[in-house]
Amino acid sequence: MRLIREDLLLYAVTDKRWLDGETLYSQVEKALKGGVTFVQLREKQLEEEQFLEEALEIGRLCRSYGVPFVINDNVAIAAKSDADGVHVGQGDMDAGSVRALLGPDKIIGVSVHTVEEALAAEAGGADYLGTGSAFSTGTKKDARLLPDGMLHDICGAVKIPVIAIGGIEKDNVHKLQGNGLSGIAVVHAIFGQPDITGACSELKEQVKRIVWED
C-alpha cells in the first residue's frame, strides 16, 4: 500500500483499557466513522493465535473504510494477517530488516527520539517516523519527554513524514504547530473518550489547522 502524507493526519493507536464492556472492533469503527486516517493495532498481552484473529478482523474493518492498518512491533503477525505494514520501536527489529521480510509494498513506521535515530530509520527504508513523547503521558509508563526543539529538528532532518505521539489531547495539540509534522498519533484522546466518533471529528479539525498552516 502506498502511503501518502495525508494518511497520517489522525493516527489512532488501540488500547483496551477503556473498553468498559465494549468490543475493540466497535471502538475502532467509531473512530473510523469520526475520521481517523490511520490505525495501529497495539497488543502486548494477547497470545499469538488471538492476536492474529484480532488483526485479521480489524484489518478487514479498516480496509472497508480505505484506511491504512498496521501492527505494533509484531512483524510476524503483520505478515500473517496481510496488514498494510508494521510499526517498530528502537528495541525491535530495525527498518532494513523489516523491509527485507515484508517486501517493498508494506508500510514501515519507526519510533525515534533523536535526529540520529530518525536518519538511520529513513536510510533503512522507513516510510514514516513516530516521535515522542511530545507531552507527559500516562499511557506508556516508560515514555521520555522529547527535549525542547527535538521534534522540530527531527522533522527538518528527514524527507519522510513525521508524526508526534505521547500525551496529545485536544487541549494541547495546538502547541505542536510550527514543527513540520504530518499528523499526530493518539490513544486516550480517542479511545478514552465517552464519544469516540465526536472526539475524532473534533480532533481531526484541530490537527488540520496545525499541519496545513505550518
Side-chain angles (χ1 to χ4, degrees):
M1 183 175 191
R2 180 173 169 270
L3 180 71
I4 59 174
R5 185 173 185 256
E6 290 75 15
D7 289 335
L8 295 164
L9 190 69
L10 184 57
Y11 184 125
V13 181
T14 66
D15 193 317
K16 288 180 174 173
R17 75 183 70 188
W18 299 289
L19 287 182
D20 194 27
E22 197 173 357
T23 64
L24 184 64
Y25 185 98
S26 171
Q27 289 200 338
V28 171
E29 184 158 36
K30 287 178 180 178
L32 290 164
K33 287 178 177 177
V36 156
T37 61
F38 203 108
V39 174
Q40 178 190 132
L41 179 62
R42 187 173 187 268
E43 287 287 3
K44 297 295 186 182
Q45 308 299 328
L46 278 185
E47 297 293 331
E48 290 285 295
E49 187 175 337
Q50 294 171 295
F51 194 175
L52 177 58
E53 184 179 337
E54 185 176 76
L56 289 166
E57 183 180 46
I58 302 295
R60 284 192 293 268
L61 174 63
C62 291
R63 277 192 291 276
S64 74
Y65 281 83
V67 168
F69 168 72
V70 299
I71 304 294
N72 176 266
D73 290 350
N74 197 316
V75 179
I77 292 292
K80 289 176 183 176
S81 66
D82 196 27
D84 294 312
V86 69
H87 186 95
V88 293
Q90 289 299 309
D92 303 313
M93 195 181 297
D94 65 88
S97 299
V98 176
R99 178 65 69 203
L101 285 171
L102 295 185
D105 299 325
K106 295 297 184 181
I107 298 169
I108 299 175
V110 180
S111 295
V112 302
H113 313 92
T114 66
V115 169
E116 291 75 20
E117 289 176 355
L119 291 170
E122 182 179 43
D127 294 293
Y128 74 91
L129 305 176
T131 187
S133 184
F135 306 105
S136 59
T137 173
T139 302
K140 198 171 182 182
K141 301 301 183 184
D142 59 348
R144 307 188 312 271
L145 274 177
L146 287 177
D148 287 345
M150 182 59 72
L151 184 59
H152 185 273
D153 291 348
I154 288 172
C155 290
V158 296
K159 295 181 175 62
I160 57 177
V162 179
I163 57 174
I165 189 169
I168 302 171
E169 302 283 349
K170 67 177 183 178
D171 296 331
N172 62 17
V173 66
H174 65 279
K175 297 179 181 179
L176 296 173
Q177 188 165 354
N179 287 297
L181 289 166
S182 294
I184 62 166
V186 291
V187 186
H188 177 267
I190 290 177
F191 296 111
Q193 306 308 307
D195 177 7
I196 290 174
T197 301
C200 288
S201 180
E202 181 182 354
L203 192 56
K204 188 175 184 179
E205 291 307 307
Q206 290 179 284
V207 181
K208 284 179 182 178
R209 289 195 290 272
I210 71 157
V211 169
W212 294 351
E213 292 176 12
D214 255 3

